[in-house]
PDB file of all heavy atoms in Angstrom:
ATOM      1  N   GLY A   1       1.382  62.335 -36.865  1.00 96.00           N
ATOM      2  CA  GLY A   1       1.589  61.927 -35.480  1.00 96.00           C
ATOM      3  C   GLY A   1       0.293  61.953 -34.699  1.00 96.00           C
ATOM      4  O   GLY A   1       0.139  61.291 -33.676  1.00 96.00           O
ATOM      5  N   LEU A   2      -0.662  62.746 -35.178  1.00 97.00           N
ATOM      6  CA  LEU A   2      -1.989  62.831 -34.585  1.00 97.00           C
ATOM      7  C   LEU A   2      -2.995  63.031 -35.696  1.00 97.00           C
ATOM      8  O   LEU A   2      -2.802  63.881 -36.576  1.00 97.00           O
ATOM      9  CB  LEU A   2      -2.074  64.002 -33.599  1.00 97.00           C
ATOM     10  CG  LEU A   2      -3.469  64.362 -33.059  1.00 97.00           C
ATOM     11  CD1 LEU A   2      -4.046  63.218 -32.236  1.00 97.00           C
ATOM     12  CD2 LEU A   2      -3.420  65.648 -32.233  1.00 97.00           C
ATOM     13  N   PHE A   3      -4.074  62.251 -35.660  1.00 98.00           N
ATOM     14  CA  PHE A   3      -5.185  62.417 -36.593  1.00 98.00           C
ATOM     15  C   PHE A   3      -6.422  62.754 -35.799  1.00 98.00           C
ATOM     16  O   PHE A   3      -6.841  62.005 -34.915  1.00 98.00           O
ATOM     17  CB  PHE A   3      -5.413  61.143 -37.406  1.00 98.00           C
ATOM     18  CG  PHE A   3      -6.657  61.192 -38.267  1.00 98.00           C
ATOM     19  CD1 PHE A   3      -6.727  62.049 -39.347  1.00 98.00           C
ATOM     20  CD2 PHE A   3      -7.757  60.385 -37.973  1.00 98.00           C
ATOM     21  CE1 PHE A   3      -7.876  62.115 -40.133  1.00 98.00           C
ATOM     22  CE2 PHE A   3      -8.899  60.428 -38.757  1.00 98.00           C
ATOM     23  CZ  PHE A   3      -8.959  61.298 -39.836  1.00 98.00           C
ATOM     24  N   MET A   4      -7.024  63.909 -36.102  1.00 98.00           N
ATOM     25  CA  MET A   4      -8.235  64.361 -35.437  1.00 98.00           C
ATOM     26  C   MET A   4      -9.391  64.360 -36.432  1.00 98.00           C
ATOM     27  O   MET A   4      -9.271  64.928 -37.519  1.00 98.00           O
ATOM     28  CB  MET A   4      -8.041  65.781 -34.887  1.00 98.00           C
ATOM     29  CG  MET A   4      -6.911  65.929 -33.905  1.00 98.00           C
ATOM     30  SD  MET A   4      -6.432  67.668 -33.630  1.00 98.00           S
ATOM     31  CE  MET A   4      -7.963  68.362 -32.989  1.00 98.00           C
ATOM     32  N   SER A   5     -10.489  63.738 -36.072  1.00 98.00           N
ATOM     33  CA  SER A   5     -11.697  63.745 -36.913  1.00 98.00           C
ATOM     34  C   SER A   5     -12.767  64.531 -36.180  1.00 98.00           C
ATOM     35  O   SER A   5     -13.138  64.190 -35.051  1.00 98.00           O
ATOM     36  CB  SER A   5     -12.167  62.320 -37.180  1.00 98.00           C
ATOM     37  OG  SER A   5     -13.365  62.314 -37.936  1.00 98.00           O
ATOM     38  N   ILE A   6     -13.259  65.598 -36.818  1.00 98.00           N
ATOM     39  CA  ILE A   6     -14.155  66.539 -36.145  1.00 98.00           C
ATOM     40  C   ILE A   6     -15.449  66.723 -36.939  1.00 98.00           C
ATOM     41  O   ILE A   6     -15.422  67.091 -38.113  1.00 98.00           O
ATOM     42  CB  ILE A   6     -13.470  67.915 -35.980  1.00 98.00           C
ATOM     43  CG1 ILE A   6     -12.170  67.778 -35.185  1.00 98.00           C
ATOM     44  CG2 ILE A   6     -14.411  68.902 -35.308  1.00 98.00           C
ATOM     45  CD1 ILE A   6     -11.329  69.041 -35.179  1.00 98.00           C
ATOM     46  N   GLY A   7     -16.568  66.441 -36.301  1.00 96.00           N
ATOM     47  CA  GLY A   7     -17.866  66.774 -36.879  1.00 96.00           C
ATOM     48  C   GLY A   7     -18.219  66.019 -38.138  1.00 96.00           C
ATOM     49  O   GLY A   7     -18.883  66.576 -39.023  1.00 96.00           O
ATOM     50  N   THR A   8     -17.828  64.755 -38.222  1.00 94.00           N
ATOM     51  CA  THR A   8     -18.142  63.981 -39.424  1.00 94.00           C
ATOM     52  C   THR A   8     -18.874  62.697 -39.042  1.00 94.00           C
ATOM     53  O   THR A   8     -18.613  62.105 -37.992  1.00 94.00           O
ATOM     54  CB  THR A   8     -16.876  63.673 -40.236  1.00 94.00           C
ATOM     55  OG1 THR A   8     -17.217  62.922 -41.400  1.00 94.00           O
ATOM     56  CG2 THR A   8     -15.850  62.919 -39.420  1.00 94.00           C
ATOM     57  N   SER A   9     -19.769  62.274 -39.912  1.00 89.00           N
ATOM     58  CA  SER A   9     -20.639  61.129 -39.610  1.00 89.00           C
ATOM     59  C   SER A   9     -19.925  59.791 -39.726  1.00 89.00           C
ATOM     60  O   SER A   9     -20.366  58.796 -39.158  1.00 89.00           O
ATOM     61  CB  SER A   9     -21.847  61.128 -40.553  1.00 89.00           C
ATOM     62  OG  SER A   9     -21.420  60.903 -41.895  1.00 89.00           O
ATOM     63  N   GLY A  10     -18.833  59.761 -40.477  1.00 89.00           N
ATOM     64  CA  GLY A  10     -18.149  58.494 -40.701  1.00 89.00           C
ATOM     65  C   GLY A  10     -18.832  57.611 -41.718  1.00 89.00           C
ATOM     66  O   GLY A  10     -18.520  56.417 -41.822  1.00 89.00           O
ATOM     67  N   ASN A  11     -19.742  58.186 -42.504  1.00 85.00           N
ATOM     68  CA  ASN A  11     -20.488  57.405 -43.495  1.00 85.00           C
ATOM     69  C   ASN A  11     -19.980  57.570 -44.920  1.00 85.00           C
ATOM     70  O   ASN A  11     -20.344  56.786 -45.798  1.00 85.00           O
ATOM     71  CB  ASN A  11     -21.969  57.807 -43.471  1.00 85.00           C
ATOM     72  CG  ASN A  11     -22.676  57.344 -42.210  1.00 85.00           C
ATOM     73  OD1 ASN A  11     -22.459  56.235 -41.761  1.00 85.00           O
ATOM     74  ND2 ASN A  11     -23.507  58.205 -41.637  1.00 85.00           N
ATOM     75  N   VAL A  12     -19.189  58.606 -45.168  1.00 86.00           N
ATOM     76  CA  VAL A  12     -18.808  58.947 -46.535  1.00 86.00           C
ATOM     77  C   VAL A  12     -17.346  58.582 -46.787  1.00 86.00           C
ATOM     78  O   VAL A  12     -16.448  59.070 -46.094  1.00 86.00           O
ATOM     79  CB  VAL A  12     -19.017  60.454 -46.806  1.00 86.00           C
ATOM     80  CG1 VAL A  12     -18.614  60.800 -48.235  1.00 86.00           C
ATOM     81  CG2 VAL A  12     -20.474  60.843 -46.563  1.00 86.00           C
ATOM     82  N   TYR A  13     -17.132  57.711 -47.750  1.00 90.00           N
ATOM     83  CA  TYR A  13     -15.768  57.323 -48.127  1.00 90.00           C
ATOM     84  C   TYR A  13     -15.313  58.161 -49.316  1.00 90.00           C
ATOM     85  O   TYR A  13     -16.132  58.639 -50.083  1.00 90.00           O
ATOM     86  CB  TYR A  13     -15.740  55.829 -48.475  1.00 90.00           C
ATOM     87  CG  TYR A  13     -15.763  54.955 -47.247  1.00 90.00           C
ATOM     88  CD1 TYR A  13     -16.965  54.630 -46.636  1.00 90.00           C
ATOM     89  CD2 TYR A  13     -14.574  54.488 -46.687  1.00 90.00           C
ATOM     90  CE1 TYR A  13     -16.989  53.845 -45.489  1.00 90.00           C
ATOM     91  CE2 TYR A  13     -14.597  53.694 -45.542  1.00 90.00           C
ATOM     92  CZ  TYR A  13     -15.802  53.384 -44.960  1.00 90.00           C
ATOM     93  OH  TYR A  13     -15.807  52.615 -43.823  1.00 90.00           O
ATOM     94  N   PRO A  14     -13.997  58.391 -49.434  1.00 94.00           N
ATOM     95  CA  PRO A  14     -12.911  57.774 -48.684  1.00 94.00           C
ATOM     96  C   PRO A  14     -12.603  58.383 -47.332  1.00 94.00           C
ATOM     97  O   PRO A  14     -11.821  57.823 -46.568  1.00 94.00           O
ATOM     98  CB  PRO A  14     -11.722  57.959 -49.627  1.00 94.00           C
ATOM     99  CG  PRO A  14     -12.019  59.211 -50.365  1.00 94.00           C
ATOM    100  CD  PRO A  14     -13.499  59.202 -50.584  1.00 94.00           C
ATOM    101  N   ALA A  15     -13.199  59.523 -46.969  1.00 94.00           N
ATOM    102  CA  ALA A  15     -12.852  60.175 -45.703  1.00 94.00           C
ATOM    103  C   ALA A  15     -13.083  59.266 -44.504  1.00 94.00           C
ATOM    104  O   ALA A  15     -12.309  59.292 -43.534  1.00 94.00           O
ATOM    105  CB  ALA A  15     -13.650  61.472 -45.550  1.00 94.00           C
ATOM    106  N   ALA A  16     -14.130  58.444 -44.555  1.00 91.00           N
ATOM    107  CA  ALA A  16     -14.429  57.560 -43.435  1.00 91.00           C
ATOM    108  C   ALA A  16     -13.321  56.537 -43.197  1.00 91.00           C
ATOM    109  O   ALA A  16     -13.216  55.976 -42.101  1.00 91.00           O
ATOM    110  CB  ALA A  16     -15.756  56.845 -43.683  1.00 91.00           C
ATOM    111  N   GLY A  17     -12.490  56.309 -44.195  1.00 96.00           N
ATOM    112  CA  GLY A  17     -11.402  55.345 -44.060  1.00 96.00           C
ATOM    113  C   GLY A  17     -10.087  55.949 -43.615  1.00 96.00           C
ATOM    114  O   GLY A  17      -9.096  55.231 -43.445  1.00 96.00           O
ATOM    115  N   PHE A  18     -10.051  57.260 -43.375  1.00 97.00           N
ATOM    116  CA  PHE A  18      -8.780  57.900 -43.013  1.00 97.00           C
ATOM    117  C   PHE A  18      -8.235  57.379 -41.691  1.00 97.00           C
ATOM    118  O   PHE A  18      -7.024  57.214 -41.532  1.00 97.00           O
ATOM    119  CB  PHE A  18      -8.948  59.415 -42.943  1.00 97.00           C
ATOM    120  CG  PHE A  18      -9.114  60.099 -44.273  1.00 97.00           C
ATOM    121  CD1 PHE A  18      -9.344  61.470 -44.342  1.00 97.00           C
ATOM    122  CD2 PHE A  18      -9.049  59.386 -45.469  1.00 97.00           C
ATOM    123  CE1 PHE A  18      -9.494  62.109 -45.557  1.00 97.00           C
ATOM    124  CE2 PHE A  18      -9.208  60.013 -46.698  1.00 97.00           C
ATOM    125  CZ  PHE A  18      -9.427  61.382 -46.732  1.00 97.00           C
ATOM    126  N   VAL A  19      -9.104  57.146 -40.716  1.00 97.00           N
ATOM    127  CA  VAL A  19      -8.623  56.669 -39.418  1.00 97.00           C
ATOM    128  C   VAL A  19      -7.970  55.303 -39.557  1.00 97.00           C
ATOM    129  O   VAL A  19      -6.933  55.025 -38.941  1.00 97.00           O
ATOM    130  CB  VAL A  19      -9.767  56.641 -38.379  1.00 97.00           C
ATOM    131  CG1 VAL A  19     -10.898  55.691 -38.803  1.00 97.00           C
ATOM    132  CG2 VAL A  19      -9.223  56.243 -37.010  1.00 97.00           C
ATOM    133  N   GLU A  20      -8.532  54.446 -40.404  1.00 95.00           N
ATOM    134  CA  GLU A  20      -7.926  53.127 -40.627  1.00 95.00           C
ATOM    135  C   GLU A  20      -6.594  53.258 -41.349  1.00 95.00           C
ATOM    136  O   GLU A  20      -5.661  52.491 -41.100  1.00 95.00           O
ATOM    137  CB  GLU A  20      -8.880  52.236 -41.419  1.00 95.00           C
ATOM    138  CG  GLU A  20     -10.157  51.871 -40.679  1.00 95.00           C
ATOM    139  CD  GLU A  20      -9.915  50.943 -39.494  1.00 95.00           C
ATOM    140  OE1 GLU A  20      -8.760  50.516 -39.277  1.00 95.00           O
ATOM    141  OE2 GLU A  20     -10.898  50.647 -38.786  1.00 95.00           O
ATOM    142  N   ALA A  21      -6.489  54.237 -42.244  1.00 95.00           N
ATOM    143  CA  ALA A  21      -5.216  54.468 -42.939  1.00 95.00           C
ATOM    144  C   ALA A  21      -4.133  54.868 -41.948  1.00 95.00           C
ATOM    145  O   ALA A  21      -3.001  54.372 -42.011  1.00 95.00           O
ATOM    146  CB  ALA A  21      -5.384  55.548 -44.007  1.00 95.00           C
ATOM    147  N   VAL A  22      -4.458  55.750 -41.020  1.00 96.00           N
ATOM    148  CA  VAL A  22      -3.482  56.166 -40.005  1.00 96.00           C
ATOM    149  C   VAL A  22      -3.086  54.976 -39.137  1.00 96.00           C
ATOM    150  O   VAL A  22      -1.902  54.783 -38.824  1.00 96.00           O
ATOM    151  CB  VAL A  22      -4.049  57.312 -39.146  1.00 96.00           C
ATOM    152  CG1 VAL A  22      -3.102  57.643 -37.998  1.00 96.00           C
ATOM    153  CG2 VAL A  22      -4.302  58.547 -39.998  1.00 96.00           C
ATOM    154  N   ARG A  23      -4.050  54.181 -38.761  1.00 93.00           N
ATOM    155  CA  ARG A  23      -3.750  52.983 -37.958  1.00 93.00           C
ATOM    156  C   ARG A  23      -2.885  52.006 -38.741  1.00 93.00           C
ATOM    157  O   ARG A  23      -1.990  51.358 -38.180  1.00 93.00           O
ATOM    158  CB  ARG A  23      -5.052  52.306 -37.523  1.00 93.00           C
ATOM    159  CG  ARG A  23      -5.850  53.120 -36.518  1.00 93.00           C
ATOM    160  CD  ARG A  23      -7.137  52.422 -36.122  1.00 93.00           C
ATOM    161  NE  ARG A  23      -6.887  51.085 -35.579  1.00 93.00           N
ATOM    162  CZ  ARG A  23      -7.824  50.286 -35.124  1.00 93.00           C
ATOM    163  NH1 ARG A  23      -9.100  50.662 -35.156  1.00 93.00           N
ATOM    164  NH2 ARG A  23      -7.544  49.102 -34.646  1.00 93.00           N
ATOM    165  N   HIS A  24      -3.131  51.899 -40.043  1.00 92.00           N
ATOM    166  CA  HIS A  24      -2.342  50.995 -40.882  1.00 92.00           C
ATOM    167  C   HIS A  24      -0.877  51.418 -40.907  1.00 92.00           C
ATOM    168  O   HIS A  24       0.023  50.578 -40.813  1.00 92.00           O
ATOM    169  CB  HIS A  24      -2.902  50.992 -42.298  1.00 92.00           C
ATOM    170  CG  HIS A  24      -2.046  50.270 -43.294  1.00 92.00           C
ATOM    171  ND1 HIS A  24      -1.968  48.898 -43.362  1.00 92.00           N
ATOM    172  CD2 HIS A  24      -1.208  50.745 -44.270  1.00 92.00           C
ATOM    173  CE1 HIS A  24      -1.129  48.545 -44.321  1.00 92.00           C
ATOM    174  NE2 HIS A  24      -0.661  49.643 -44.882  1.00 92.00           N
ATOM    175  N   TYR A  25      -0.645  52.725 -41.033  1.00 89.00           N
ATOM    176  CA  TYR A  25       0.733  53.203 -41.056  1.00 89.00           C
ATOM    177  C   TYR A  25       1.379  53.088 -39.683  1.00 89.00           C
ATOM    178  O   TYR A  25       2.606  53.026 -39.575  1.00 89.00           O
ATOM    179  CB  TYR A  25       0.785  54.650 -41.549  1.00 89.00           C
ATOM    180  CG  TYR A  25       0.354  54.804 -42.993  1.00 89.00           C
ATOM    181  CD1 TYR A  25      -0.723  55.626 -43.338  1.00 89.00           C
ATOM    182  CD2 TYR A  25       1.015  54.117 -44.006  1.00 89.00           C
ATOM    183  CE1 TYR A  25      -1.123  55.758 -44.663  1.00 89.00           C
ATOM    184  CE2 TYR A  25       0.614  54.245 -45.334  1.00 89.00           C
ATOM    185  CZ  TYR A  25      -0.451  55.071 -45.649  1.00 89.00           C
ATOM    186  OH  TYR A  25      -0.845  55.191 -46.958  1.00 89.00           O
ATOM    187  N   GLY A  26       0.563  53.064 -38.628  1.00 79.00           N
ATOM    188  CA  GLY A  26       1.062  52.754 -37.301  1.00 79.00           C
ATOM    189  C   GLY A  26       1.806  53.853 -36.586  1.00 79.00           C
ATOM    190  O   GLY A  26       2.440  53.595 -35.555  1.00 79.00           O
ATOM    191  N   MET A  27       1.739  55.081 -37.088  1.00 79.00           N
ATOM    192  CA  MET A  27       2.530  56.154 -36.491  1.00 79.00           C
ATOM    193  C   MET A  27       1.701  57.108 -35.632  1.00 79.00           C
ATOM    194  O   MET A  27       2.225  57.722 -34.705  1.00 79.00           O
ATOM    195  CB  MET A  27       3.214  56.973 -37.598  1.00 79.00           C
ATOM    196  CG  MET A  27       4.257  56.230 -38.385  1.00 79.00           C
ATOM    197  SD  MET A  27       4.982  57.296 -39.659  1.00 79.00           S
ATOM    198  CE  MET A  27       5.655  58.624 -38.659  1.00 79.00           C
ATOM    199  N   GLY A  28       0.426  57.258 -35.930  1.00 92.00           N
ATOM    200  CA  GLY A  28      -0.330  58.359 -35.352  1.00 92.00           C
ATOM    201  C   GLY A  28      -1.336  57.951 -34.287  1.00 92.00           C
ATOM    202  O   GLY A  28      -1.937  56.874 -34.341  1.00 92.00           O
ATOM    203  N   HIS A  29      -1.535  58.844 -33.337  1.00 96.00           N
ATOM    204  CA  HIS A  29      -2.622  58.744 -32.375  1.00 96.00           C
ATOM    205  C   HIS A  29      -3.892  59.247 -33.063  1.00 96.00           C
ATOM    206  O   HIS A  29      -3.837  60.169 -33.880  1.00 96.00           O
ATOM    207  CB  HIS A  29      -2.309  59.601 -31.153  1.00 96.00           C
ATOM    208  CG  HIS A  29      -3.371  59.559 -30.099  1.00 96.00           C
ATOM    209  ND1 HIS A  29      -3.644  58.426 -29.369  1.00 96.00           N
ATOM    210  CD2 HIS A  29      -4.236  60.518 -29.652  1.00 96.00           C
ATOM    211  CE1 HIS A  29      -4.623  58.678 -28.516  1.00 96.00           C
ATOM    212  NE2 HIS A  29      -5.009  59.946 -28.672  1.00 96.00           N
ATOM    213  N   THR A  30      -5.031  58.657 -32.744  1.00 97.00           N
ATOM    214  CA  THR A  30      -6.284  59.027 -33.404  1.00 97.00           C
ATOM    215  C   THR A  30      -7.317  59.463 -32.374  1.00 97.00           C
ATOM    216  O   THR A  30      -7.469  58.831 -31.323  1.00 97.00           O
ATOM    217  CB  THR A  30      -6.851  57.862 -34.242  1.00 97.00           C
ATOM    218  OG1 THR A  30      -7.078  56.726 -33.391  1.00 97.00           O
ATOM    219  CG2 THR A  30      -5.882  57.471 -35.351  1.00 97.00           C
ATOM    220  N   VAL A  31      -8.037  60.533 -32.680  1.00 98.00           N
ATOM    221  CA  VAL A  31      -9.062  61.028 -31.763  1.00 98.00           C
ATOM    222  C   VAL A  31     -10.279  61.507 -32.551  1.00 98.00           C
ATOM    223  O   VAL A  31     -10.149  62.132 -33.600  1.00 98.00           O
ATOM    224  CB  VAL A  31      -8.510  62.164 -30.873  1.00 98.00           C
ATOM    225  CG1 VAL A  31      -7.968  63.321 -31.717  1.00 98.00           C
ATOM    226  CG2 VAL A  31      -9.564  62.665 -29.898  1.00 98.00           C
ATOM    227  N   GLU A  32     -11.441  61.166 -32.052  1.00 98.00           N
ATOM    228  CA  GLU A  32     -12.699  61.632 -32.630  1.00 98.00           C
ATOM    229  C   GLU A  32     -13.300  62.695 -31.720  1.00 98.00           C
ATOM    230  O   GLU A  32     -13.504  62.455 -30.526  1.00 98.00           O
ATOM    231  CB  GLU A  32     -13.683  60.479 -32.802  1.00 98.00           C
ATOM    232  CG  GLU A  32     -15.064  60.938 -33.284  1.00 98.00           C
ATOM    233  CD  GLU A  32     -15.972  59.800 -33.682  1.00 98.00           C
ATOM    234  OE1 GLU A  32     -16.638  59.226 -32.789  1.00 98.00           O
ATOM    235  OE2 GLU A  32     -16.008  59.482 -34.887  1.00 98.00           O
ATOM    236  N   LEU A  33     -13.569  63.868 -32.300  1.00 98.00           N
ATOM    237  CA  LEU A  33     -14.249  64.964 -31.604  1.00 98.00           C
ATOM    238  C   LEU A  33     -15.563  65.188 -32.332  1.00 98.00           C
ATOM    239  O   LEU A  33     -15.581  65.681 -33.460  1.00 98.00           O
ATOM    240  CB  LEU A  33     -13.389  66.236 -31.623  1.00 98.00           C
ATOM    241  CG  LEU A  33     -11.966  66.095 -31.080  1.00 98.00           C
ATOM    242  CD1 LEU A  33     -11.191  67.388 -31.283  1.00 98.00           C
ATOM    243  CD2 LEU A  33     -11.984  65.721 -29.606  1.00 98.00           C
ATOM    244  N   ASN A  34     -16.654  64.835 -31.697  1.00 97.00           N
ATOM    245  CA  ASN A  34     -17.923  64.813 -32.424  1.00 97.00           C
ATOM    246  C   ASN A  34     -19.078  65.063 -31.464  1.00 97.00           C
ATOM    247  O   ASN A  34     -18.926  64.944 -30.237  1.00 97.00           O
ATOM    248  CB  ASN A  34     -18.103  63.448 -33.103  1.00 97.00           C
ATOM    249  CG  ASN A  34     -18.759  63.542 -34.463  1.00 97.00           C
ATOM    250  OD1 ASN A  34     -19.179  64.613 -34.902  1.00 97.00           O
ATOM    251  ND2 ASN A  34     -18.857  62.421 -35.153  1.00 97.00           N
ATOM    252  N   LEU A  35     -20.225  65.409 -32.022  1.00 94.00           N
ATOM    253  CA  LEU A  35     -21.411  65.592 -31.197  1.00 94.00           C
ATOM    254  C   LEU A  35     -21.843  64.271 -30.577  1.00 94.00           C
ATOM    255  O   LEU A  35     -22.303  64.214 -29.428  1.00 94.00           O
ATOM    256  CB  LEU A  35     -22.541  66.191 -32.034  1.00 94.00           C
ATOM    257  CG  LEU A  35     -23.807  66.604 -31.283  1.00 94.00           C
ATOM    258  CD1 LEU A  35     -23.494  67.684 -30.250  1.00 94.00           C
ATOM    259  CD2 LEU A  35     -24.867  67.099 -32.264  1.00 94.00           C
ATOM    260  N   GLU A  36     -21.685  63.194 -31.342  1.00 95.00           N
ATOM    261  CA  GLU A  36     -22.010  61.842 -30.883  1.00 95.00           C
ATOM    262  C   GLU A  36     -21.126  60.873 -31.636  1.00 95.00           C
ATOM    263  O   GLU A  36     -20.492  61.243 -32.623  1.00 95.00           O
ATOM    264  CB  GLU A  36     -23.490  61.534 -31.145  1.00 95.00           C
ATOM    265  CG  GLU A  36     -23.891  61.665 -32.593  1.00 95.00           C
ATOM    266  CD  GLU A  36     -25.388  61.579 -32.806  1.00 95.00           C
ATOM    267  OE1 GLU A  36     -26.151  61.832 -31.852  1.00 95.00           O
ATOM    268  OE2 GLU A  36     -25.797  61.247 -33.931  1.00 95.00           O
ATOM    269  N   PRO A  37     -21.022  59.618 -31.174  1.00 96.00           N
ATOM    270  CA  PRO A  37     -20.150  58.662 -31.864  1.00 96.00           C
ATOM    271  C   PRO A  37     -20.523  58.504 -33.336  1.00 96.00           C
ATOM    272  O   PRO A  37     -21.692  58.379 -33.685  1.00 96.00           O
ATOM    273  CB  PRO A  37     -20.374  57.364 -31.090  1.00 96.00           C
ATOM    274  CG  PRO A  37     -20.783  57.812 -29.719  1.00 96.00           C
ATOM    275  CD  PRO A  37     -21.614  59.054 -29.940  1.00 96.00           C
ATOM    276  N   SER A  38     -19.502  58.527 -34.189  1.00 94.00           N
ATOM    277  CA  SER A  38     -19.727  58.331 -35.620  1.00 94.00           C
ATOM    278  C   SER A  38     -19.846  56.842 -35.935  1.00 94.00           C
ATOM    279  O   SER A  38     -19.683  55.992 -35.044  1.00 94.00           O
ATOM    280  CB  SER A  38     -18.558  58.924 -36.412  1.00 94.00           C
ATOM    281  OG  SER A  38     -17.395  58.123 -36.216  1.00 94.00           O
ATOM    282  N   SER A  39     -20.084  56.543 -37.201  1.00 92.00           N
ATOM    283  CA  SER A  39     -20.170  55.139 -37.617  1.00 92.00           C
ATOM    284  C   SER A  39     -18.859  54.396 -37.397  1.00 92.00           C
ATOM    285  O   SER A  39     -18.847  53.189 -37.209  1.00 92.00           O
ATOM    286  CB  SER A  39     -20.575  55.059 -39.092  1.00 92.00           C
ATOM    287  OG  SER A  39     -21.854  55.605 -39.291  1.00 92.00           O
TER     288      SER A  39
END
C-alpha cells in the first residue's frame, strides 16, 4: 500500500526498478526519502 525508498542512488538494478513495479501493480503510494533526488 506504500513503498518507501530510502538512501539509495537508483542506479543498481533490480532494486532501482522496484518503484516501477509498484506503479505497475497500481496499488501503492510511492515516496522517495533521500539526501538528494535519485536517478
Side-chain angles (χ1 to χ4, degrees):
L2 171 64
F3 173 68
M4 301 164 60
S5 177
I6 302 170
T8 180
S9 66
N11 290 318
V12 180
Y13 283 84
F18 288 177
V19 61
E20 294 292 356
V22 174
R23 292 179 57 178
H24 171 75
Y25 295 121
M27 294 180 59
H29 180 68
T30 59
V31 57
E32 175 170 85
L33 305 175
N34 217 355
L35 187 61
E36 57 189 22
S38 70
S39 297

